[in-house]
Amino acid sequence: MEYLKQAQLSIMLFLAGICATTSLFVVFTKEMPKKQKQALLLMDIGAVVLLIADRNAYIYRGDPSAAAWYMVRVCNFLVFFLNPVILYGFNMYLDDICIGAEDRIVKRALTIANVTIVLSVLLLIVSQFTGFCYTFDEANRYQRGPGYLFMVLISLLTIVIQIYVIVRSRKRFNRKTLIVLLLFSAVPILAAVVQVFLYGLSLINFGLVAMVVVLYVSTLTRLSEQMEAYRRDLLAMTLQQERVNTELALATRIQTDMLPNIFPAFPDRSEMDIYASMTPAKEVGGDFYDFFFVDHDHLALVIADVSGKGIPAAMFMMMAKSMLQTQAAAGHSPREVLETVNRLICENNKEKMFITVWFGILDLDTGLLTAANAGHEYPILKMPGTEFEIVKDKHGFVLGGMKGMKYTDYTLTMAPGAKLFVYTDGVAEAMNAGRELFGIDRTLQALNAAKDAPPEGVLRSVDEAVARFAGSAEQVDDLTMMCIEYRGKAETKGDGHEGTDG
Amino acid sequence: MNIYRTINEDELTLSLEGRLDTLTAPELENEIRNGLTGVEKLVFDFEKLEYISSAGLRVLLAAEQALEEKGAEKVRVVNMNSTIRNIFEITGFTDVLAVE
């Protein structure tokens, strides 16, 4: 016991050193939330000053000199002042780790705890004039005053409230944190009780200081564990994203390959020349074109635009493309094809996606084009010797919109040399940085600029015009177009005999 | 985009301001899904609507179908600008909704 009293001064210096170092660590810890950092710093620096003050209070006790007179009063004041300050720091800490104290009762309890702290400080100030907490006798020795016990009890009350808050919020913490928090409160209480009976041993202060250090270590450990968890989550998410990107890239390739994209498409057929392109805005798009032979002399032509973008539109597009092909192959007219496909789509259309379609069948013998339009952009036709002009064909409703819609067949005669241009709204709705639309007029301009070129040249002209117009602005919608030139009925086989014998 | 609701007995008028496209369509969809109780007539006022995309058309279609299920009149659309009228004509929406 006596040895402890004597070694006490050195122990205090030692502890002060530890707390000072800990505060330095707190300052440089990046990963700590701001409020917790401030709370720990307050407690740590408070602990340092508390220890030094307490130490000096002991050193100058009973010293009759003038310097000692001041030191004793200042240091004892500091000791009594810093106890509530450190408890306030703990309040700040609790407020933060109880996650903003959403529990109204917790918030109120912490407020009451703060009130008791203010009360302690007020009593301390009053005590300077009335000697309530402590006095100094003629030999300049600190004596406990009549209200000393009362001061201790107020501090105990603060701690009891803090224990209540911790216990009430216990679900938020893991076991380690919970134990540390309870220790922080329990140890000073124990020390206070013991110290009431034993003067000369700064148990409360030692207890407080030890707990401040333990708290710092526990905070750091908890933060470390949190960081590890975040890192693991981030890694898992990144891997997931990688997988999604790979599959999206694959889906894009599959979709692109689905549209006929080998040109020249039918090199053995001289009756027509056809070229088409689809540039999706997102990786996978909802626009598509299609062309295929229904029989030897009839070529089916499709251009379509699915409402929406991305994977849902792409899936819908593939289904529609397949349905149109099947119906056309059965030999139905464009109107019948659209009506049947509309019925099929409406039967299974919970997402209520719709699709605009222009569907035509070109008779390669006669150049007669039979077509029907389900809510799609007007086709643009150039007859030989004239310019590209809009064909205001009759429009039925979009496919997939409503059951039982009717469509109308119409015919156009394509003379040899005539060109038909069909497209989706991505062309006219291409935007530049000034949010202007490319528009139908500019489309016609670009078409007529290349009116004598083969289909590929026609498409390129429009492509380049859109690119020049859009500039750096991002492509918002799929850009899809198709152009077919009718060259006239094929020369019948056998004419080639003319130059040969027999 | 801003949506303004005006109720006149059982007729609801939704005035749209701005653009009805992929980004803003969900707002309107929400409004329609939750706000049609007791509504027998639905009117869209497009005076301040600058642009409509296929996503917007989808929502209009859904509104029309919701009303149709109730046995109510067709959805009315008023005060369209020429761009939007053109879109309605091309897609055939002029026949499906009551366009003025």
Side-chain angles (χ1 to χ4, degrees), chain B:
Chain B
M1 175 189 67
N2 298 314
I3 306 177
Y4 302 104
R5 289 175 68 101
T6 321
I7 300 226
N8 188 357
E9 289 178 7
D10 64 353
E11 178 179 276
L12 170 64
T13 302
L14 293 173
S15 306
L16 306 184
E17 180 180 357
R19 296 168 59 91
L20 182 56
D21 56 20
T22 321
L23 292 171
T24 55
E27 280 174 54
L28 186 59
E29 200 171 353
N30 237 2
E31 186 71 37
I32 289 175
R33 200 174 312 149
N34 302 325
L36 285 189
T37 36
V39 172
E40 293 296 317
K41 304 194 191 99
L42 181 58
V43 178
F44 282 101
D45 185 348
F46 281 4
E47 187 175 346
K48 300 220 176 88
L49 189 66
E50 298 161 11
Y51 171 81
I52 187 167
S53 79
S54 58
L57 290 176
R58 259 179 80 195
V59 180
L60 292 184
L61 191 59
E64 170 64 22
Q65 283 165 340
L67 280 182
E68 209 178 318
E69 270 168 34
K70 280 199 203 190
E73 295 173 4
K74 276 194 194 176
V75 171
R76 277 172 55 213
V77 185
V78 300
N79 299 328
M80 287 191 280
N81 67 26
S82 54
T83 314
I84 297 185
R85 183 174 294 274
N86 199 26
I87 293 177
F88 269 60
E89 276 168 1
I90 289 187
T91 51
F93 266 78
T94 35
D95 295 328
V96 170
L97 303 180
V99 169
E100 288 161 28

Side-chain angles (χ1 to χ4, degrees), chain A residues 307-319:
Chain A
S307 66
K309 295 191 175 53
I311 297 216
M315 293 180 77
F316 199 80
M317 161 256 185
M318 293 199 242
M319 175 183 82

Side-chain angles (χ1 to χ4, degrees), chain A residues 171-315:
Chain A
K171 297 222 173 68
R172 297 190 203 275
F173 318 121
N174 62 29
R175 275 191 76 213
K176 273 192 272 184
T177 308
L178 194 57
I179 291 175
V180 165
L181 290 176
L182 289 175
L183 264 184
F184 190 97
S185 314
V187 166
I189 291 184
L190 222 61
V193 168
V194 173
Q195 189 166 313
V196 167
F197 301 105
L198 260 62
Y199 175 67
L201 214 51
S202 259
L203 274 185
I204 298 182
N205 297 335
F206 285 177
L208 266 180
V209 165
M211 289 307 104
V212 166
V213 173
V214 167
L215 193 61
Y216 171 73
V217 170
S218 134
T219 307
L220 226 48
T221 317
R222 193 178 68 246
L223 289 178
S224 230
E225 283 166 4
Q226 264 177 0
M227 286 262 79
E228 243 335 283
Y230 287 151
R231 260 187 287 251
R232 264 180 278 128
D233 283 343
L234 193 60
L235 190 62
M237 272 173 58
T238 311
L239 286 176
Q240 173 90 323
Q241 185 64 36
E242 280 302 307
R243 262 197 301 264
V244 169
N245 287 345
T246 312
E247 303 218 344
L248 213 57
L250 193 60
T252 310
R253 278 205 298 278
I254 293 180
Q255 211 200 16
T256 315
D257 290 344
M258 278 192 78
L259 304 189
N261 50 22
I262 304 195
F263 300 105
F266 310 106
D268 55 334
R269 302 296 296 250
S270 58
E271 297 99 316
M272 48 53 180
D273 186 10
I274 189 167
Y275 195 83
S277 75
M278 199 271 280
T279 320
K282 272 183 134 81
E283 285 98 342
V284 284
D287 279 9
F288 71 92
Y289 62 82
D290 200 6
F291 51 83
F292 49 91
F293 277 100
V294 175
D295 61 37
H296 183 265
D297 298 314
H298 290 87
L299 181 69
L301 304 161
V302 188
I303 189 148
D305 182 354
V306 176
S307 66
K309 295 191 175 53
I311 297 216
M315 293 180 77

Side-chain angles (χ1 to χ4, degrees), chain A residues 419-436:
Chain A
K419 298 193 185 97
L420 180 76
F421 176 78
V422 287
Y423 53 100
T424 62
D425 61 3
V427 176
E429 292 186 10
M431 270 198 282
N432 64 7
R435 303 208 104 201
E436 285 177 299

Side-chain angles (χ1 to χ4, degrees), chain A residues 337-398:
Chain A
V337 170
L338 291 181
E339 279 169 13
T340 309
V341 174
N342 183 47
R343 179 174 53 81
L344 292 172
I345 292 179
C346 286
E347 272 166 17
N348 287 312
N349 197 8
K350 289 222 177 55
E351 289 302 307
K352 310 232 185 299
M353 300 195 78
F354 61 75
I355 173 171
T356 67
V357 181
W358 177 91
F359 182 85
I361 298 185
L362 179 61
D363 183 332
L364 293 172
D365 258 354
T366 60
L368 187 71
L369 175 69
T370 314
N373 189 319
H376 197 79
E377 275 50 35
Y378 297 119
I380 300 182
L381 179 68
K382 174 195 175 318
M383 290 302 259
T386 63
E387 306 229 302
F388 276 99
E389 280 164 16
I390 298 180
V391 177
K392 289 223 161 165
D393 58 353
K394 177 103 174 49
H395 278 195
F397 194 47
V398 300

